[in-house]
Amino acid sequence: MIQGPHIQNLDQKIGMLVKYNIDDIECGNISHSVTLVPRLEYSVDLLDEIVDVLGKERVNLKNSNKQLASDFDESDKTHHEALQLERTITFSFEILTQIQKQTKRISGITSIPEVLPSSIPMIRTISAQLFDIAPNCSQKLSELSVHLGSIVLDSAALTKARFDFSQSNEESSTLLDEVKLMVDSKISKQYPNLDFFKLCNT
């Protein structure tokens, strides 16, 4: 798999930090440190892959639903389902894009416990939402959450960092709510002749 500039730079930074601190790490933690970079690299690649799939699906749904802006039939269940599907895929795509941005804030091993914890609840939420409509993406997101969880725990053990799970959950919930409002507003503008918010609650 070809490495992007971000991953190569990240690999160098974390690799240097691990090497620099190796004498200060207890023997039992050395195995965690030397596997941290490849696990993080794999996780970022997996996230990129999922975002790419959802991005393409989002465009396809937007194109296929264009006619609903003028030909929406409130009595047609398939029309409701088409809009809900576009809404869910768009929401999932936007959340995972935000998580991508978070991963780019990782500048070394000490930043991992600060950056990644809030992303894990969001990934689990999106995985659950995609379980029926995109099972392959849902399964990969479940795998991703496990990898990121182990990376957070190992990096915290190596750096003796502490983090507040309740705060991470709160940050996650706040971002989920913000993105939901943004997505609903965006889709509502795509279908100006529909009471989109009413449809979402029926």
Side-chain angles (χ1 to χ4, degrees):
M1 187 174 295
I2 299 174
Q3 289 186 332
H6 170 61
I7 289 298
Q8 291 176 338
N9 189 40
L10 182 63
D11 181 77
Q12 291 173 354
K13 288 180 177 178
I14 296 181
M16 288 175 64
L17 281 167
V18 170
K19 182 178 180 181
Y20 180 78
N21 292 322
I22 199 71
D23 291 335
D24 299 326
I25 299 171
E26 295 179 2
C27 292
N29 286 332
I30 292 177
S31 62
H32 297 307
S33 68
V34 296
T35 63
L36 203 57
V37 170
R39 281 187 290 150
L40 185 57
E41 179 182 329
Y42 174 78
S43 297
V44 172
D45 285 344
L46 184 58
L47 177 60
D48 289 345
E49 178 186 335
I50 299 167
V51 169
D52 184 57
V53 170
L54 291 178
K56 291 176 181 177
E57 183 62 20
R58 180 180 65 99
V59 172
N60 291 338
L61 288 170
K62 183 177 180 180
N63 290 334
S64 65
N65 286 345
K66 276 183 179 178
Q67 63 182 25
L68 297 181
S70 56
D71 299 328
F72 185 81
D73 183 354
E74 288 194 23
S75 64
D76 192 332
K77 184 180 178 181
T78 61
H79 286 192
H80 286 266
E81 291 175 343
L83 283 181
Q84 288 286 10
L85 180 59
E86 182 179 354
R87 181 195 190 198
T88 301
I89 293 296
T90 302
F91 175 69
S92 301
F93 172 79
E94 294 293 347
I95 285 292
L96 295 179
T97 300
Q98 291 296 319
I99 294 173
Q100 274 185 322
K101 292 177 181 178
Q102 288 183 341
T103 63
K104 289 178 171 58
R105 289 169 46 209
I106 297 174
S107 57
I109 193 171
T110 56
S111 64
I112 293 175
E114 300 173 2
V115 172
L116 287 183
S118 63
S119 67
I120 298 171
M122 290 190 286
I123 290 172
R124 290 172 178 164
T125 296
I126 299 305
S127 176
Q129 291 198 356
L130 296 178
F131 184 79
D132 290 324
I133 61 177
N136 190 43
C137 286
S138 175
Q139 182 178 0
K140 289 182 178 180
L141 286 169
S142 294
E143 178 188 351
L144 179 61
S145 71
V146 172
H147 282 296
L148 292 182
S150 69
I151 289 168
V152 167
L153 290 175
D154 287 349
S155 63
L158 289 167
T159 60
K160 296 180 171 56
R162 295 182 180 180
F163 47 87
D164 188 340
F165 282 110
S166 61
Q167 181 180 347
S168 297
N169 289 333
E170 185 176 337
E171 292 173 357
S172 172
S173 296
T174 298
L175 186 55
L176 287 168
D177 289 341
E178 289 175 353
V179 173
K180 179 179 179 296
L181 289 174
M182 180 192 72
V183 168
D184 284 351
S185 176
K186 182 184 295 186
I187 294 184
S188 180
K189 290 177 181 177
Q190 287 178 213
Y191 307 100
N193 297 325
L194 304 180
D195 189 346
F196 179 74
F197 296 101
K198 179 181 177 182
L199 293 173
C200 288
N201 294 318
T202 57

